[in-house]
């Protein structure tokens, strides 16, 4: 649980990721977060302010919260749940992390549990661009028209309607959307799904250039505001791993 002492010692941005037994780097498992709250180490979309520290009135605009479930008396798991319509991005800054090199740990892994998708959503249509769950990797920021800065990212998404394998290019080619799950989940209710992607392969295929070794951030987003339909999805165990990770 987040303590007053931890908050007093806050250096704002994470500078080192926890090393796992198999040589991976854990970004977030939500185990240290407070139940019913926003996750402490995640920032708003720009990566400047912590929603965890916002007033309760402002926090109402964020439909994410930490949930706990028990598989047995001795096995309890915390995770992040989105349940609502209008959402905001959550940003986990990586730009000050010193022990992350994507050439060594190019596999992005995470878990989703999708309960409900926004009906009629379509990531390929700006007017219907909602998603049950998505996770972004921001690699760098590029300048457009000399002044406008646009993040270069890959967004992995659970789509309401598009088939798995669909790839979409948006924001002048700077964001690539990759559909990795679709529709109402066919798995039994309550079952987590594990995803993994080779970032080096995806980046160099989609952008046709060498992948930066130090990403800037991970972002997550669930929403149903364009379709005015609610969605419900869980997130857990986000990390980077070496080749050969299962």
């Amino acid at each position: 649980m987040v303590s007053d002492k931890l908050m007093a010692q806050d250096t704002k941005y994470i500078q080192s990721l926890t090393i796992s037994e198999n040589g991976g780097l854990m970004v977030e498992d939500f185990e240290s977060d407070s139940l019913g709250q926003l996750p402490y180490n995640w920032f708003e979309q720009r990566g400047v302010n912590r929603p965890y520290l916002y007033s309760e009135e402002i926090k109402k605009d964020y439909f994410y919260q930490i949930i706990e479930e028990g598989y047995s008396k001795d096995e309890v798991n915390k995770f992040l749940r989105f349940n609502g319509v209008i959402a905001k991005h959550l940003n986990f800054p990586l730009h000050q992390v010193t022990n992350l090199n994507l050439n060594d740990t190019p596999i992005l892994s995470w878990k989703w549990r999708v309960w409900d998708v926004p009906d009629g959503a379509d990531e390929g249509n700006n007017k219907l661009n909602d998603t049950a769950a998505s996770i972004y990797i921001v690699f760098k920021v590029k300048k457009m028209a000399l002044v406008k800065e646009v993040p270069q990212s890959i967004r992995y998404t659970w789509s309401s309607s598009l088939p798995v394998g669909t790839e979409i290019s948006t924001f002048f080619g700077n964001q690539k959307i990759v559909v990795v799950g679709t529709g109402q989940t066919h798995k039994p209710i309550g079952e987590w799904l594990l995803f993994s992607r080779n970032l080096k392969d995806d980046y160099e295929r989609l952008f046709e250039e060498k992948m930066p070794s130090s990403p800037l951030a991970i972002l997550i987003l669930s929403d149903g505001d364009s379709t005015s339909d609610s969605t419900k999805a869980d997130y857990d165990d986000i990390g980077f791993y070496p080749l050969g990770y299962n």
Side-chain angles (χ1 to χ4, degrees):
M1 182 173 295
V2 177
S3 66
D4 292 339
K5 182 178 180 181
L6 176 60
M7 291 173 62
Q9 295 174 344
D10 185 14
T11 55
K12 194 164 186 178
Y13 298 122
I14 293 291
Q15 298 182 359
S16 180
L17 300 177
T18 301
I19 301 174
S20 65
E21 292 181 358
N22 56 5
L25 296 172
M26 178 58 68
V27 174
E28 183 65 270
D29 61 8
F30 304 105
E31 293 302 325
S32 64
D33 284 303
S34 302
L35 293 178
Q37 293 291 326
L38 292 164
Y40 182 73
N41 287 319
W42 293 75
F43 290 66
E44 42 71 47
Q45 183 175 6
R46 298 171 303 152
V48 176
N49 299 306
R50 274 185 212 276
Y52 180 92
L53 300 177
Y54 288 172
S55 69
E56 292 303 316
E57 186 64 28
I58 297 177
K59 282 183 183 179
K60 291 179 181 178
D61 292 335
Y62 287 80
F63 292 92
Y64 301 93
Q65 66 172 321
I66 300 298
I67 303 290
E68 182 179 76
E69 61 187 357
Y71 301 104
S72 68
K73 183 173 67 174
D74 300 318
E75 188 179 2
V76 176
N77 179 54
K78 290 181 181 178
F79 58 91
L80 182 67
R81 170 167 292 171
F82 175 85
N83 189 6
V85 177
I86 299 174
K88 297 178 181 290
H89 295 76
L90 291 179
N91 178 327
F92 190 105
L94 296 169
H95 61 279
Q96 290 190 9
V97 172
T98 59
N99 65 335
L100 173 59
N101 184 324
L102 291 184
N103 292 315
D104 299 327
T105 52
I107 305 300
L108 173 67
S109 176
W110 71 96
K111 291 178 182 177
W112 279 336
R113 182 167 54 182
V114 176
W115 301 90
D116 191 21
V117 303
D119 188 39
D122 180 348
E123 288 85 348
N125 184 334
N126 286 334
K127 295 182 178 180
L128 300 172
N129 188 13
D130 292 333
T131 182
S134 61
I135 183 167
Y136 301 62
I137 301 294
V138 179
F139 292 91
K140 59 184 179 181
V141 174
K142 298 183 70 175
K143 278 198 171 183
M144 301 295 297
L146 300 179
V147 292
K148 184 176 181 179
E149 292 187 340
V150 179
Q152 186 188 66
S153 65
I154 299 177
R155 171 187 172 190
Y156 300 105
T157 184
W158 185 288
S159 179
S160 295
S161 58
L162 300 177
V164 171
T166 299
E167 296 178 348
I168 300 168
S169 183
T170 63
F171 293 107
F172 309 100
N174 288 298
Q175 182 184 100
K176 308 296 184 180
I177 300 174
V178 180
V179 177
V180 296
T182 190
Q184 297 287 359
T185 177
H186 299 296
K187 294 288 185 180
I189 292 296
E191 182 173 342
W192 286 96
L193 300 176
L194 175 66
F195 294 85
S196 62
R197 299 292 301 198
N198 187 316
L199 294 175
K200 180 177 174 62
D201 286 353
D202 282 349
Y203 182 92
E204 295 184 357
R205 174 176 54 82
L206 292 167
F207 290 106
E208 298 183 337
E209 62 183 47
K210 186 177 180 180
M211 177 190 69
S213 60
S214 300
L216 299 180
I218 287 181
L219 287 86
I220 59 177
L221 175 69
S222 294
D223 71 321
D225 52 350
S226 295
T227 57
S228 299
D229 195 33
S230 63
T231 185
K232 179 180 176 182
D234 301 333
Y235 296 78
D236 206 358
D237 295 339
I238 303 168
F240 297 101
Y241 294 89
L243 290 173
Y245 165 76
N246 269 321

